[in-house]
Amino acid sequence: MASNPPPIHEQWSSRFAFILAATGSAVGLGNIWKFPYITGENGGGAFVMVYLLCIVLIGVPIMMAETMMGRRGRQNPINTLKTLAAEAGASANWQYLGWLGVIAGFLILSFYSVIAGWSMAYVAKAFTGSFSGESAGVISQLFADLKASPKEQAFWHTVFIIATMSIVARGVSGGLEKSVRFLMPSLFFLLMLLVAYAMTTGSYMQGLEFLFKPDFSELTGAAVLTAMGHAFFTLSLGMGAIMVYGSYLPKDISIAKTAMIIAGADTAVALLAGMAIFPIVFANDLAVGSGPGLIFETLPIAFGNMTGGWLFGLLFFVLLVFAALSSAISLIEPAVAWCIERFNVSRKKASVIMGALVWVLGMGTVLSFNEWSEVTIFGANFFEAIDYLTANIMLPLGGFFIALFAGRVMLAKHSQDELEINNQLFSVWKFLVSYVAPAAVFIVFLNVLGVFGIFS
Ligand code: PHE
């Protein structure tokens, strides 16, 4: 079975197409929904500094590693790892790393779809003019009502899963490339517009200070883990999504440059979202740490009170849904690709099966905001538990092993051949993936377990 020749994959039409698809995967709810609310919960500036440091020192090198491994292995992450391990004369157990990723993507999509569903609900609310001229109080109530309704959430969660799976059923390239090409610039434009609105609130400087002025006394060990976990989450790393996309990458493309472009665009979107949201939080006396509802309680205030707000609000939530879709596709693609190659079923059938399974699990998240809100595991409700397990444990763990594999298991000859960077840059990269990234993950894990007690 393992001796099958690697299937010949389809390929992206160009380097630009790969950048678009990978950016489509990276930029999503992580940037606009998750980054602001976890920044709010974790005290602001110092948390943001740790996050940025993780992007540069861990994120970019691991993104290069995943892309490179995907392009060399050319299959789903599990088989890619199997092939590359065999090539390097290493243990076949490395394939379990592929498993970890497939499962992580599956689990993440279950709650991702619910939040994307909230965004869809907000498209409908924007369309019917629900935000128009409303105060912060009314806007907060709108969100509270959505959160309290399992039916409304389940409806949109279902719509989102169907949308995602019908795209995945058709295969990765094609439509995706085209939609991201228009999506990213439009999203940038609307975020800038929101930042411009934030400047008129009178609390702009206070918002910027919260976001960029580090107060290290606010930083806990748990916050450092969350920042690091989010660096993986936001760049779609540690679970094979970028590895799958890398497997469609033509040979003649610079992996280092593309990784930096993608990480740069992703970071810019997150910071812009923060710069739009926090001034609105302060201007309306809202709580920075209000949790997963933060964007839904703040941005509608801006849309409800700016000129042209109806149109911009509608556009914004439509774009947010599309950004979530292009990420969702990459969350489930490893599982679908595996299902096809493993059971020899059609792409369509694999998509239906995976979609149904994710849907069921997602209902747990829907209920965690209402009926099951009191049901907790280690103090976390269903949504919080899956979020913590995936973003704070599985992705960093996946990243840890991917880094070690790329840096220490693969022959330098092979990785350098794929990366095609000069010797100096290659040594820097190799040092980062072999030592810095694994050590950072290890130390942050130990610290959270209370071994060092730094920032506790
Ligand atoms: N990066 C996506 C976001 O920020 C989420 C994601 C994580 C997508 C992991 C794929 C893999 O929204």
Side-chain angles (χ1 to χ4, degrees):
M1 202 176 80
S3 60
N4 282 346
I8 311 295
H9 262 347
E10 44 180 334
Q11 292 204 345
W12 301 112
S13 53
S14 64
R15 169 170 106 120
F16 192 53
F18 171 75
I19 293 184
L20 283 174
T23 310
S25 167
V27 175
L29 296 174
N31 308 63
I32 295 171
W33 160 74
K34 194 172 181 191
F35 171 73
Y37 96 73
I38 57 176
T39 298
E41 285 180 337
N42 288 286
F47 174 86
V48 175
M49 288 258 285
V50 176
Y51 156 77
L52 291 174
L53 211 67
C54 291
I55 293 283
V56 175
L57 292 181
I58 308 177
V60 173
I62 293 188
M63 182 173 280
M64 290 169 62
E66 275 201 37
T67 315
M68 177 270 280
M69 287 164 66
R71 183 163 73 183
R72 195 167 183 85
R74 307 195 66 74
Q75 299 150 83
N76 71 61
I78 296 170
N79 291 351
T80 285
L81 277 155
K82 229 193 257 178
T83 308
L84 294 183
E87 184 185 60
S91 156
N93 286 337
W94 280 100
Q95 65 178 290
Y96 295 112
L97 179 53
W99 275 106
L100 181 73
V102 166
I103 297 167
F106 179 88
L107 293 176
I108 293 173
L109 183 59
S110 77
F111 70 78
Y112 206 83
S113 164
V114 175
I115 313 298
W118 292 359
S119 315
M120 286 182 146
Y122 271 64
V123 170
K125 292 186 204 305
F127 183 74
T128 56
S130 305
F131 314 142
S132 168
E134 296 297 1
S135 66
V138 174
I139 300 282
S140 289
Q141 192 55 44
L142 272 181
F143 180 72
D145 291 344
L146 173 66
K147 218 168 114 168
S149 165
K151 263 203 212 122
E152 194 181 349
Q153 292 183 68
F155 173 75
W156 293 111
H157 164 55
T158 310
V159 175
F160 188 79
I161 289 285
I162 292 176
T164 303
M165 297 329 286
S166 35
I167 299 175
V168 173
R170 274 186 219 123
V172 273
S173 49
L176 181 62
E177 281 182 42
K178 280 186 219 102
S179 61
V180 178
R181 196 183 293 250
F182 129 94
L183 176 74
M184 288 303 147
S186 322
L187 201 58
F188 248 93
F189 168 77
L190 281 177
L191 282 171
M192 305 265 226
L193 189 83
L194 282 166
V195 174
Y197 171 85
M199 288 177 185
T200 69
T201 57
S203 303
Y204 188 60
M205 289 321 287
Q206 199 186 346
L208 285 199
E209 237 172 63
F210 179 76
L211 198 55
F212 294 117
K213 199 167 154 206
D215 171 0
F216 285 97
S217 69
E218 290 274 331
L219 202 63
T220 61
V224 173
L225 174 62
T226 303
M228 183 182 75
H230 188 64
F232 284 98
F233 186 90
T234 193
L235 293 178
S236 307
L237 297 176
M239 51 74 66
I242 297 295
M243 210 183 282
V244 169
Y245 281 0
S247 76
Y248 302 102
L249 191 64
K251 186 82 183 78
D252 54 343
I253 283 169
S254 159
I255 289 178
K257 234 192 274 160
T258 51
M260 280 187 257
I261 294 173
I262 295 160
D266 186 83
T267 307
V269 171
L271 295 179
L272 280 175
M275 288 161 68
I277 287 165
F278 288 110
I280 302 175
V281 169
F282 293 119
N284 293 281
D285 282 321
L286 299 167
V288 283
S290 75
L294 190 64
I295 62 162
F296 301 99
E297 293 163 334
T298 50
L299 297 184
I301 303 177
F303 294 127
N305 294 285
M306 66 163 77
T307 352
W310 178 82
L311 181 66
F312 293 133
L314 183 62
L315 267 177
F316 176 82
F317 285 108
V318 168
L319 289 172
L320 186 59
V321 170
F322 277 102
L325 257 180
S326 59
S327 303
I329 292 165
S330 69
L331 280 165
I332 202 66
E333 177 63 24
V336 169
W338 167 78
C339 193
I340 297 169
E341 280 161 43
R342 171 72 180 73
F343 298 111
N344 214 352
V345 291
S346 68
R347 182 164 264 282
K348 208 164 144 202
K349 205 179 225 168
S351 307
V352 172
I353 298 169
M354 287 299 159
L357 293 174
V358 171
W359 183 87
V360 172
L361 196 65
M363 286 308 293
T365 286
V366 164
L367 294 170
S368 73
F369 293 110
N370 35 71
E371 328 257 282
W372 291 1
S373 61
E374 305 300 318
V375 183
T376 56
I377 325 160
F378 295 117
N381 66 32
F382 193 87
F383 156 69
E384 290 161 344
I386 295 205
D387 176 42
Y388 193 92
L389 174 69
T390 51
N392 289 11
I393 301 174
M394 293 176 87
L395 298 185
L397 206 61
F400 174 88
F401 286 111
I402 287 170
L404 284 185
F405 188 90
R408 322 260 304 245
V409 175
M410 273 179 83
L411 300 179
K413 186 168 72 155
H414 291 160
S415 49
Q416 189 164 20
D417 182 41
E418 290 293 335
L419 289 173
E420 290 183 73
I421 41 181
N422 65 39
N423 288 336
Q424 263 157 331
L425 269 182
F426 181 74
S427 326
V428 174
W429 172 81
K430 197 157 169 4
F431 181 71
L432 288 174
V433 287
S434 307
Y435 302 103
V436 177
V441 173
F442 193 63
I443 292 170
V444 173
F445 273 170
L446 287 185
N447 184 48
V448 139
L449 294 174
V451 177
F452 306 126
I454 317 171
F455 303 124
S456 53

